[in-house]
Short mmCIF file of all heavy atoms in Angstrom, two decimals:
data_model
loop_
_atom_site.label_atom_id
_atom_site.label_comp_id
_atom_site.label_asym_id
_atom_site.label_seq_id
_atom_site.Cartn_x
_atom_site.Cartn_y
_atom_site.Cartn_z
N MET A 1 147.27 15.09 93.66
CA MET A 1 145.89 15.51 93.62
C MET A 1 145.07 14.43 92.91
O MET A 1 145.48 13.92 91.87
CB MET A 1 145.79 16.85 92.88
CG MET A 1 144.40 17.40 92.86
SD MET A 1 144.23 19.01 92.02
CE MET A 1 145.43 20.02 92.83
N THR A 2 143.94 14.15 93.46
CA THR A 2 143.10 13.10 92.87
C THR A 2 142.40 13.61 91.62
O THR A 2 142.29 14.82 91.39
CB THR A 2 142.03 12.65 93.88
OG1 THR A 2 141.13 13.73 94.10
CG2 THR A 2 142.65 12.19 95.19
N THR A 3 141.93 12.68 90.85
CA THR A 3 141.19 13.03 89.63
C THR A 3 139.93 13.82 89.97
O THR A 3 139.58 14.77 89.28
CB THR A 3 140.83 11.75 88.85
OG1 THR A 3 142.03 11.04 88.58
CG2 THR A 3 140.13 12.08 87.56
N ALA A 4 139.28 13.44 91.04
CA ALA A 4 138.06 14.15 91.46
C ALA A 4 138.38 15.59 91.86
O ALA A 4 137.64 16.52 91.52
CB ALA A 4 137.39 13.41 92.62
N ALA A 5 139.49 15.77 92.56
CA ALA A 5 139.89 17.12 92.96
C ALA A 5 140.24 17.96 91.73
O ALA A 5 139.90 19.15 91.65
CB ALA A 5 141.07 17.05 93.92
N GLN A 6 140.93 17.35 90.77
CA GLN A 6 141.27 18.05 89.54
C GLN A 6 140.00 18.45 88.78
O GLN A 6 139.91 19.55 88.25
CB GLN A 6 142.17 17.20 88.66
CG GLN A 6 143.57 17.06 89.18
CD GLN A 6 144.41 16.11 88.35
OE1 GLN A 6 143.88 15.24 87.65
NE2 GLN A 6 145.72 16.27 88.43
N ALA A 7 139.04 17.54 88.72
CA ALA A 7 137.78 17.83 88.03
C ALA A 7 137.03 18.95 88.72
O ALA A 7 136.45 19.83 88.06
CB ALA A 7 136.92 16.58 87.96
N ALA A 8 137.06 18.96 90.05
CA ALA A 8 136.39 20.02 90.80
C ALA A 8 137.06 21.37 90.55
O ALA A 8 136.38 22.39 90.37
CB ALA A 8 136.40 19.69 92.29
N LEU A 9 138.38 21.38 90.52
CA LEU A 9 139.10 22.63 90.23
C LEU A 9 138.82 23.11 88.81
O LEU A 9 138.63 24.31 88.57
CB LEU A 9 140.61 22.44 90.43
CG LEU A 9 141.09 22.37 91.87
CD1 LEU A 9 142.58 22.07 91.92
CD2 LEU A 9 140.80 23.68 92.59
N ALA A 10 138.78 22.19 87.86
CA ALA A 10 138.49 22.56 86.47
C ALA A 10 137.08 23.11 86.35
O ALA A 10 136.85 24.11 85.64
CB ALA A 10 138.68 21.36 85.56
N ALA A 11 136.13 22.50 87.04
CA ALA A 11 134.75 22.99 87.00
C ALA A 11 134.64 24.38 87.63
O ALA A 11 133.95 25.25 87.11
CB ALA A 11 133.83 22.01 87.71
N ALA A 12 135.36 24.59 88.73
CA ALA A 12 135.34 25.90 89.39
C ALA A 12 135.97 26.96 88.48
O ALA A 12 135.46 28.08 88.37
CB ALA A 12 136.07 25.83 90.73
N ALA A 13 137.07 26.59 87.82
CA ALA A 13 137.72 27.53 86.90
C ALA A 13 136.81 27.87 85.74
O ALA A 13 136.69 29.03 85.33
CB ALA A 13 139.04 26.95 86.41
N ALA A 14 136.13 26.87 85.20
CA ALA A 14 135.21 27.11 84.08
C ALA A 14 134.06 28.01 84.52
O ALA A 14 133.64 28.90 83.77
CB ALA A 14 134.67 25.79 83.55
N ALA A 15 133.57 27.81 85.73
CA ALA A 15 132.49 28.67 86.24
C ALA A 15 132.97 30.11 86.38
O ALA A 15 132.24 31.05 86.06
CB ALA A 15 131.99 28.14 87.58
N GLU A 16 134.19 30.29 86.86
CA GLU A 16 134.74 31.65 86.98
C GLU A 16 134.94 32.28 85.60
O GLU A 16 134.70 33.48 85.43
CB GLU A 16 136.04 31.63 87.77
CG GLU A 16 135.81 31.41 89.25
CD GLU A 16 137.06 31.68 90.08
OE1 GLU A 16 137.89 32.51 89.67
OE2 GLU A 16 137.17 31.05 91.14
N ILE A 17 135.37 31.50 84.64
CA ILE A 17 135.56 32.02 83.28
C ILE A 17 134.20 32.44 82.70
O ILE A 17 134.08 33.51 82.10
CB ILE A 17 136.24 30.97 82.38
CG1 ILE A 17 137.70 30.80 82.79
CG2 ILE A 17 136.15 31.36 80.91
CD1 ILE A 17 138.40 29.63 82.15
N ARG A 18 133.18 31.63 82.91
CA ARG A 18 131.84 31.99 82.42
C ARG A 18 131.33 33.26 83.11
O ARG A 18 130.72 34.12 82.46
CB ARG A 18 130.86 30.84 82.62
CG ARG A 18 130.99 29.76 81.56
CD ARG A 18 129.85 28.77 81.60
NE ARG A 18 129.95 27.82 82.69
CZ ARG A 18 130.75 26.75 82.70
NH1 ARG A 18 131.53 26.51 81.68
NH2 ARG A 18 130.77 25.93 83.73
N ALA A 19 131.60 33.39 84.40
CA ALA A 19 131.17 34.59 85.13
C ALA A 19 131.91 35.83 84.60
O ALA A 19 131.32 36.90 84.43
CB ALA A 19 131.41 34.43 86.62
N ALA A 20 133.20 35.69 84.33
CA ALA A 20 133.97 36.80 83.79
C ALA A 20 133.46 37.19 82.40
O ALA A 20 133.32 38.37 82.08
CB ALA A 20 135.46 36.44 83.73
N SER A 21 133.17 36.19 81.60
CA SER A 21 132.65 36.45 80.25
C SER A 21 131.31 37.17 80.33
O SER A 21 131.06 38.13 79.57
CB SER A 21 132.50 35.13 79.50
OG SER A 21 131.96 35.36 78.21
N ALA A 22 130.45 36.74 81.23
CA ALA A 22 129.14 37.39 81.39
C ALA A 22 129.30 38.84 81.85
O ALA A 22 128.59 39.74 81.39
CB ALA A 22 128.27 36.62 82.37
N ALA A 23 130.25 39.08 82.75
CA ALA A 23 130.50 40.45 83.22
C ALA A 23 131.01 41.34 82.10
O ALA A 23 130.60 42.49 81.96
CB ALA A 23 131.48 40.42 84.39
N VAL A 24 131.90 40.81 81.28
CA VAL A 24 132.44 41.58 80.15
C VAL A 24 131.33 41.85 79.14
O VAL A 24 131.22 42.96 78.60
CB VAL A 24 133.65 40.85 79.52
CG1 VAL A 24 134.05 41.50 78.20
CG2 VAL A 24 134.82 40.85 80.48
N ALA A 25 130.50 40.85 78.87
CA ALA A 25 129.39 41.04 77.93
C ALA A 25 128.44 42.11 78.44
O ALA A 25 127.96 42.95 77.66
CB ALA A 25 128.65 39.72 77.71
N ARG A 26 128.15 42.09 79.73
CA ARG A 26 127.27 43.11 80.31
C ARG A 26 127.90 44.50 80.19
O ARG A 26 127.23 45.46 79.83
CB ARG A 26 126.98 42.79 81.78
CG ARG A 26 126.03 43.78 82.42
CD ARG A 26 125.63 43.34 83.83
NE ARG A 26 124.66 44.24 84.38
CZ ARG A 26 124.96 45.32 85.10
NH1 ARG A 26 126.22 45.62 85.36
NH2 ARG A 26 124.01 46.11 85.57
N ALA A 27 129.18 44.60 80.48
CA ALA A 27 129.87 45.88 80.35
C ALA A 27 129.82 46.38 78.91
O ALA A 27 129.57 47.57 78.66
CB ALA A 27 131.32 45.75 80.81
N ALA A 28 130.02 45.50 77.95
CA ALA A 28 129.96 45.89 76.54
C ALA A 28 128.57 46.39 76.18
O ALA A 28 128.42 47.41 75.49
CB ALA A 28 130.35 44.71 75.64
N ARG A 29 127.53 45.70 76.65
CA ARG A 29 126.15 46.15 76.37
C ARG A 29 125.89 47.53 76.97
O ARG A 29 125.26 48.38 76.34
CB ARG A 29 125.14 45.14 76.91
CG ARG A 29 124.96 43.91 76.07
CD ARG A 29 123.76 43.08 76.49
NE ARG A 29 123.76 42.72 77.91
CZ ARG A 29 124.39 41.67 78.43
NH1 ARG A 29 125.07 40.85 77.64
NH2 ARG A 29 124.32 41.40 79.71
N LEU A 30 126.38 47.75 78.19
CA LEU A 30 126.17 49.05 78.83
C LEU A 30 126.91 50.17 78.09
O LEU A 30 126.38 51.27 77.93
CB LEU A 30 126.59 48.99 80.30
CG LEU A 30 125.72 48.13 81.20
CD1 LEU A 30 126.36 47.99 82.59
CD2 LEU A 30 124.32 48.71 81.30
N VAL A 31 128.12 49.88 77.63
CA VAL A 31 128.88 50.89 76.87
C VAL A 31 128.19 51.16 75.55
O VAL A 31 128.07 52.31 75.12
CB VAL A 31 130.34 50.44 76.67
CG1 VAL A 31 131.06 51.35 75.68
CG2 VAL A 31 131.08 50.42 78.00
N GLU A 32 127.69 50.12 74.90
CA GLU A 32 126.96 50.31 73.64
C GLU A 32 125.70 51.14 73.86
O GLU A 32 125.36 52.01 73.05
CB GLU A 32 126.63 48.96 73.02
CG GLU A 32 127.85 48.25 72.46
CD GLU A 32 127.64 46.77 72.19
OE1 GLU A 32 126.60 46.21 72.58
OE2 GLU A 32 128.55 46.16 71.61
N GLU A 33 125.02 50.88 74.97
CA GLU A 33 123.83 51.67 75.30
C GLU A 33 124.22 53.13 75.56
O GLU A 33 123.56 54.05 75.07
CB GLU A 33 123.14 51.09 76.52
CG GLU A 33 121.88 51.82 76.91
CD GLU A 33 121.22 51.22 78.15
OE1 GLU A 33 121.39 50.03 78.41
OE2 GLU A 33 120.54 51.98 78.85
N ALA A 34 125.29 53.33 76.31
CA ALA A 34 125.75 54.69 76.60
C ALA A 34 126.15 55.43 75.33
O ALA A 34 125.90 56.63 75.19
CB ALA A 34 126.92 54.65 77.57
N GLU A 35 126.75 54.71 74.40
CA GLU A 35 127.15 55.30 73.12
C GLU A 35 125.95 55.94 72.43
O GLU A 35 126.04 57.02 71.85
CB GLU A 35 127.77 54.23 72.24
CG GLU A 35 128.24 54.71 70.89
CD GLU A 35 128.78 53.57 70.04
OE1 GLU A 35 128.78 52.41 70.47
OE2 GLU A 35 129.22 53.87 68.91
N GLY A 36 124.82 55.28 72.50
CA GLY A 36 123.61 55.80 71.86
C GLY A 36 122.97 56.94 72.62
O GLY A 36 122.14 57.66 72.06
N LEU A 37 123.35 57.14 73.87
CA LEU A 37 122.74 58.20 74.68
C LEU A 37 123.51 59.52 74.63
O LEU A 37 122.99 60.53 75.08
CB LEU A 37 122.64 57.73 76.14
CG LEU A 37 121.74 56.53 76.38
CD1 LEU A 37 121.82 56.10 77.84
CD2 LEU A 37 120.31 56.82 75.98
N VAL A 38 124.73 59.48 74.12
CA VAL A 38 125.55 60.70 74.09
C VAL A 38 124.98 61.67 73.08
O VAL A 38 124.78 61.33 71.93
CB VAL A 38 127.02 60.37 73.74
CG1 VAL A 38 127.84 61.63 73.58
CG2 VAL A 38 127.62 59.47 74.81
N GLY A 39 124.72 62.88 73.53
CA GLY A 39 124.25 63.92 72.62
C GLY A 39 122.96 64.54 73.09
O GLY A 39 122.40 64.18 74.12
N VAL A 40 122.52 65.51 72.32
CA VAL A 40 121.28 66.22 72.63
C VAL A 40 120.31 65.95 71.50
O VAL A 40 120.66 66.04 70.33
CB VAL A 40 121.54 67.74 72.74
CG1 VAL A 40 120.25 68.49 72.89
CG2 VAL A 40 122.47 68.03 73.90
N HIS A 41 119.11 65.62 71.86
CA HIS A 41 118.07 65.39 70.87
C HIS A 41 116.99 66.43 71.08
O HIS A 41 116.64 66.76 72.20
CB HIS A 41 117.49 63.98 71.01
CG HIS A 41 118.53 62.92 70.91
ND1 HIS A 41 119.12 62.56 69.72
CD2 HIS A 41 119.13 62.15 71.85
CE1 HIS A 41 120.01 61.63 69.93
NE2 HIS A 41 120.05 61.36 71.22
N GLY A 42 116.49 66.95 70.00
CA GLY A 42 115.42 67.94 70.13
C GLY A 42 115.84 69.28 69.56
O GLY A 42 116.47 69.35 68.51
N ASP A 43 115.55 70.33 70.29
CA ASP A 43 115.78 71.70 69.84
C ASP A 43 117.26 71.97 69.62
O ASP A 43 118.06 71.93 70.55
CB ASP A 43 115.22 72.67 70.88
CG ASP A 43 115.33 74.12 70.43
OD1 ASP A 43 115.61 74.36 69.25
OD2 ASP A 43 115.12 75.00 71.28
N ASP A 44 117.63 72.22 68.37
CA ASP A 44 119.03 72.48 68.04
C ASP A 44 119.49 73.87 68.46
O ASP A 44 120.67 74.11 68.59
CB ASP A 44 119.26 72.35 66.52
CG ASP A 44 119.20 70.92 66.05
OD1 ASP A 44 119.28 70.01 66.91
OD2 ASP A 44 119.06 70.69 64.85
N GLY A 45 118.56 74.79 68.68
CA GLY A 45 118.94 76.18 68.94
C GLY A 45 119.34 76.49 70.36
O GLY A 45 119.96 77.51 70.61
N TRP A 46 119.05 75.63 71.30
CA TRP A 46 119.24 76.03 72.68
C TRP A 46 120.70 76.16 73.10
O TRP A 46 121.03 76.86 74.05
CB TRP A 46 118.50 75.11 73.64
CG TRP A 46 119.09 73.75 73.84
CD1 TRP A 46 118.88 72.66 73.08
CD2 TRP A 46 120.00 73.36 74.86
NE1 TRP A 46 119.59 71.60 73.56
CE2 TRP A 46 120.29 72.00 74.66
CE3 TRP A 46 120.61 74.02 75.92
CZ2 TRP A 46 121.16 71.29 75.48
CZ3 TRP A 46 121.47 73.31 76.73
CH2 TRP A 46 121.74 71.97 76.51
N LEU A 47 121.64 75.55 72.38
CA LEU A 47 123.06 75.70 72.70
C LEU A 47 123.69 76.90 72.01
O LEU A 47 124.79 77.29 72.35
CB LEU A 47 123.83 74.44 72.31
CG LEU A 47 123.72 73.27 73.26
CD1 LEU A 47 124.39 72.04 72.66
CD2 LEU A 47 124.32 73.59 74.60
N GLY A 48 122.98 77.46 71.07
CA GLY A 48 123.49 78.64 70.38
C GLY A 48 124.81 78.37 69.68
O GLY A 48 125.00 77.33 69.05
N PRO A 49 125.76 79.31 69.81
CA PRO A 49 127.03 79.17 69.10
C PRO A 49 127.89 78.01 69.60
O PRO A 49 128.84 77.60 68.94
CB PRO A 49 127.73 80.50 69.33
CG PRO A 49 127.06 81.11 70.51
CD PRO A 49 125.67 80.56 70.56
N ALA A 50 127.57 77.46 70.76
CA ALA A 50 128.36 76.35 71.30
C ALA A 50 127.95 75.01 70.71
O ALA A 50 128.56 73.98 71.00
CB ALA A 50 128.23 76.31 72.82
N ARG A 51 126.92 75.00 69.88
CA ARG A 51 126.38 73.74 69.37
C ARG A 51 127.43 72.93 68.60
O ARG A 51 127.54 71.72 68.77
CB ARG A 51 125.16 74.01 68.47
CG ARG A 51 124.50 72.77 67.92
CD ARG A 51 123.93 71.94 69.06
NE ARG A 51 123.62 70.59 68.65
CZ ARG A 51 122.50 69.96 68.98
NH1 ARG A 51 121.59 70.56 69.71
NH2 ARG A 51 122.32 68.74 68.59
N GLY A 52 128.20 73.58 67.76
CA GLY A 52 129.21 72.87 66.98
C GLY A 52 130.24 72.18 67.86
O GLY A 52 130.57 71.01 67.66
N ALA A 53 130.74 72.91 68.85
CA ALA A 53 131.73 72.33 69.76
C ALA A 53 131.11 71.19 70.57
O ALA A 53 131.76 70.17 70.81
CB ALA A 53 132.27 73.42 70.70
N PHE A 54 129.87 71.38 70.97
CA PHE A 54 129.18 70.34 71.73
C PHE A 54 129.00 69.08 70.89
O PHE A 54 129.28 67.97 71.35
CB PHE A 54 127.82 70.86 72.21
CG PHE A 54 127.07 69.88 73.06
CD1 PHE A 54 127.35 69.74 74.40
CD2 PHE A 54 126.08 69.09 72.50
CE1 PHE A 54 126.66 68.83 75.19
CE2 PHE A 54 125.39 68.17 73.28
CZ PHE A 54 125.68 68.05 74.62
N ASP A 55 128.58 69.25 69.66
CA ASP A 55 128.41 68.10 68.76
C ASP A 55 129.73 67.39 68.51
O ASP A 55 129.78 66.15 68.44
CB ASP A 55 127.78 68.54 67.44
CG ASP A 55 126.31 68.87 67.57
OD1 ASP A 55 125.69 68.48 68.59
OD2 ASP A 55 125.77 69.52 66.66
N ASP A 56 130.81 68.17 68.38
CA ASP A 56 132.14 67.56 68.19
C ASP A 56 132.53 66.74 69.41
O ASP A 56 133.05 65.63 69.28
CB ASP A 56 133.20 68.64 67.93
CG ASP A 56 133.05 69.30 66.57
OD1 ASP A 56 132.33 68.74 65.70
OD2 ASP A 56 133.64 70.38 66.38
N ALA A 57 132.29 67.29 70.59
CA ALA A 57 132.62 66.56 71.83
C ALA A 57 131.78 65.29 71.94
O ALA A 57 132.29 64.22 72.32
CB ALA A 57 132.39 67.46 73.04
N CYS A 58 130.52 65.37 71.58
CA CYS A 58 129.65 64.19 71.61
C CYS A 58 130.13 63.14 70.62
O CYS A 58 130.13 61.94 70.93
CB CYS A 58 128.20 64.58 71.31
SG CYS A 58 127.42 65.49 72.64
N GLY A 59 130.57 63.59 69.46
CA GLY A 59 131.10 62.66 68.46
C GLY A 59 132.33 61.94 68.98
O GLY A 59 132.47 60.72 68.78
N ARG A 60 133.21 62.68 69.65
CA ARG A 60 134.41 62.05 70.22
C ARG A 60 134.02 61.02 71.28
O ARG A 60 134.59 59.93 71.35
CB ARG A 60 135.34 63.10 70.81
CG ARG A 60 136.09 63.92 69.76
CD ARG A 60 137.19 64.77 70.38
NE ARG A 60 136.69 65.73 71.36
CZ ARG A 60 136.20 66.94 71.07
NH1 ARG A 60 136.13 67.34 69.80
NH2 ARG A 60 135.79 67.74 72.02
N LEU A 61 133.05 61.36 72.12
CA LEU A 61 132.60 60.43 73.15
C LEU A 61 131.97 59.18 72.54
O LEU A 61 132.21 58.06 73.01
CB LEU A 61 131.61 61.11 74.09
CG LEU A 61 132.20 62.12 75.06
CD1 LEU A 61 131.08 62.89 75.77
CD2 LEU A 61 133.10 61.44 76.07
N ARG A 62 131.16 59.37 71.50
CA ARG A 62 130.54 58.21 70.83
C ARG A 62 131.60 57.31 70.22
O ARG A 62 131.53 56.08 70.32
CB ARG A 62 129.54 58.67 69.77
CG ARG A 62 128.17 59.02 70.34
CD ARG A 62 127.15 59.19 69.23
NE ARG A 62 127.43 60.31 68.35
CZ ARG A 62 127.11 61.58 68.61
NH1 ARG A 62 126.47 61.88 69.71
NH2 ARG A 62 127.41 62.53 67.75
N ARG A 63 132.59 57.92 69.56
CA ARG A 63 133.66 57.11 68.96
C ARG A 63 134.45 56.37 70.04
O ARG A 63 134.77 55.19 69.88
CB ARG A 63 134.58 57.98 68.10
CG ARG A 63 133.94 58.39 66.78
CD ARG A 63 134.92 59.09 65.86
NE ARG A 63 135.40 60.36 66.39
CZ ARG A 63 134.73 61.51 66.32
NH1 ARG A 63 133.54 61.55 65.75
NH2 ARG A 63 135.24 62.62 66.80
N ALA A 64 134.76 57.05 71.14
CA ALA A 64 135.50 56.40 72.23
C ALA A 64 134.69 55.25 72.82
O ALA A 64 135.24 54.18 73.11
CB ALA A 64 135.85 57.42 73.32
N ALA A 65 133.40 55.45 72.98
CA ALA A 65 132.55 54.38 73.50
C ALA A 65 132.49 53.22 72.53
O ALA A 65 132.51 52.05 72.93
CB ALA A 65 131.14 54.91 73.79
N GLY A 66 132.46 53.52 71.25
CA GLY A 66 132.45 52.46 70.24
C GLY A 66 133.73 51.63 70.29
O GLY A 66 133.68 50.40 70.19
N VAL A 67 134.85 52.30 70.43
CA VAL A 67 136.14 51.60 70.54
C VAL A 67 136.16 50.74 71.80
O VAL A 67 136.56 49.57 71.77
CB VAL A 67 137.31 52.61 70.54
CG1 VAL A 67 138.61 51.94 70.95
CG2 VAL A 67 137.45 53.26 69.17
N GLU A 68 135.69 51.31 72.91
CA GLU A 68 135.66 50.57 74.17
C GLU A 68 134.76 49.33 74.06
O GLU A 68 135.13 48.24 74.51
CB GLU A 68 135.18 51.48 75.30
CG GLU A 68 135.27 50.87 76.66
CD GLU A 68 136.69 50.68 77.15
OE1 GLU A 68 137.59 51.42 76.72
OE2 GLU A 68 136.91 49.79 77.99
N ALA A 69 133.60 49.50 73.47
CA ALA A 69 132.68 48.37 73.31
C ALA A 69 133.31 47.29 72.43
O ALA A 69 133.21 46.09 72.74
CB ALA A 69 131.36 48.84 72.70
N HIS A 70 133.99 47.71 71.37
CA HIS A 70 134.65 46.74 70.49
C HIS A 70 135.73 45.97 71.25
O HIS A 70 135.83 44.74 71.13
CB HIS A 70 135.26 47.47 69.29
CG HIS A 70 136.03 46.58 68.38
ND1 HIS A 70 135.43 45.65 67.56
CD2 HIS A 70 137.36 46.45 68.16
CE1 HIS A 70 136.35 44.99 66.88
NE2 HIS A 70 137.53 45.47 67.23
N GLU A 71 136.52 46.68 72.05
CA GLU A 71 137.57 46.02 72.82
C GLU A 71 136.99 45.05 73.85
O GLU A 71 137.52 43.97 74.08
CB GLU A 71 138.47 47.06 73.49
CG GLU A 71 139.33 47.81 72.49
CD GLU A 71 140.12 48.94 73.10
OE1 GLU A 71 139.94 49.24 74.30
OE2 GLU A 71 140.93 49.53 72.37
N LEU A 72 135.87 45.44 74.45
CA LEU A 72 135.20 44.54 75.39
C LEU A 72 134.68 43.29 74.68
O LEU A 72 134.77 42.18 75.21
CB LEU A 72 134.06 45.26 76.11
CG LEU A 72 134.50 46.25 77.19
CD1 LEU A 72 133.34 47.15 77.58
CD2 LEU A 72 135.06 45.52 78.40
N ARG A 73 134.15 43.46 73.48
CA ARG A 73 133.68 42.29 72.71
C ARG A 73 134.86 41.38 72.34
O ARG A 73 134.72 40.14 72.36
CB ARG A 73 132.92 42.72 71.46
CG ARG A 73 131.62 43.43 71.74
CD ARG A 73 130.64 42.51 72.41
NE ARG A 73 129.37 43.20 72.63
CZ ARG A 73 128.41 42.71 73.36
NH1 ARG A 73 128.54 41.54 73.96
NH2 ARG A 73 127.29 43.38 73.53
N LEU A 74 136.00 41.96 72.01
CA LEU A 74 137.20 41.15 71.73
C LEU A 74 137.62 40.38 72.98
O LEU A 74 137.96 39.19 72.90
CB LEU A 74 138.35 42.02 71.24
CG LEU A 74 138.20 42.65 69.86
CD1 LEU A 74 139.37 43.58 69.57
CD2 LEU A 74 138.10 41.57 68.79
N LEU A 75 137.60 41.05 74.12
CA LEU A 75 137.94 40.40 75.38
C LEU A 75 136.97 39.28 75.69
O LEU A 75 137.37 38.18 76.10
CB LEU A 75 137.95 41.42 76.52
CG LEU A 75 138.25 40.87 77.92
CD1 LEU A 75 139.60 40.17 77.97
CD2 LEU A 75 138.19 42.01 78.94
N GLU A 76 135.70 39.53 75.46
CA GLU A 76 134.68 38.50 75.67
C GLU A 76 134.98 37.26 74.82
O GLU A 76 134.92 36.12 75.29
CB GLU A 76 133.29 39.05 75.34
CG GLU A 76 132.18 38.05 75.50
CD GLU A 76 130.84 38.59 75.02
OE1 GLU A 76 130.79 39.67 74.41
OE2 GLU A 76 129.85 37.90 75.26
N GLY A 77 135.33 37.49 73.56
CA GLY A 77 135.66 36.38 72.66
C GLY A 77 136.90 35.61 73.14
O GLY A 77 136.92 34.38 73.07
N ALA A 78 137.88 36.35 73.62
CA ALA A 78 139.10 35.70 74.12
C ALA A 78 138.80 34.87 75.36
O ALA A 78 139.33 33.75 75.52
CB ALA A 78 140.15 36.75 74.41
N ILE A 79 137.96 35.39 76.23
CA ILE A 79 137.59 34.63 77.43
C ILE A 79 136.83 33.38 77.05
O ILE A 79 137.10 32.29 77.56
CB ILE A 79 136.76 35.52 78.39
CG1 ILE A 79 137.65 36.63 78.98
CG2 ILE A 79 136.17 34.68 79.52
CD1 ILE A 79 136.87 37.69 79.75
N GLU A 80 135.88 33.53 76.14
CA GLU A 80 135.11 32.36 75.69
C GLU A 80 136.00 31.31 75.04
O GLU A 80 135.78 30.12 75.19
CB GLU A 80 134.00 32.79 74.72
CG GLU A 80 132.86 33.53 75.39
CD GLU A 80 132.09 32.65 76.35
OE1 GLU A 80 131.83 31.48 76.02
OE2 GLU A 80 131.73 33.16 77.42
N ALA A 81 137.03 31.76 74.33
CA ALA A 81 137.95 30.83 73.67
C ALA A 81 138.75 30.04 74.71
O ALA A 81 139.19 28.91 74.43
CB ALA A 81 138.90 31.58 72.75
N ALA A 82 138.88 30.59 75.91
CA ALA A 82 139.61 29.88 76.97
C ALA A 82 138.84 28.68 77.48
O ALA A 82 139.41 27.78 78.09
CB ALA A 82 139.92 30.84 78.12
N LEU A 83 137.54 28.68 77.25
CA LEU A 83 136.73 27.53 77.67
C LEU A 83 136.96 26.40 76.72
O LEU A 83 136.90 25.29 76.91
CB LEU A 83 135.24 27.89 77.70
CG LEU A 83 134.81 28.79 78.84
CD1 LEU A 83 133.36 29.21 78.67
CD2 LEU A 83 134.96 28.07 80.17
#
């Protein structure tokens, strides 16, 4: 393989790595945004006795989203380190 061909392959690989990193970063931002949307805002009384269970479920979802976002950020860092 010629040097030019090797350089072209390396450039293509770097472009794919950057695209993957951008996709992971976007996914992390979306998960972080979703984390902030979980729950009910406003009138606390409308769920009645189910409010506690609902809040607990929302808390679990927020924590899961936080973990997912953190893992995506770690993946983003690992991809960037490959460059």
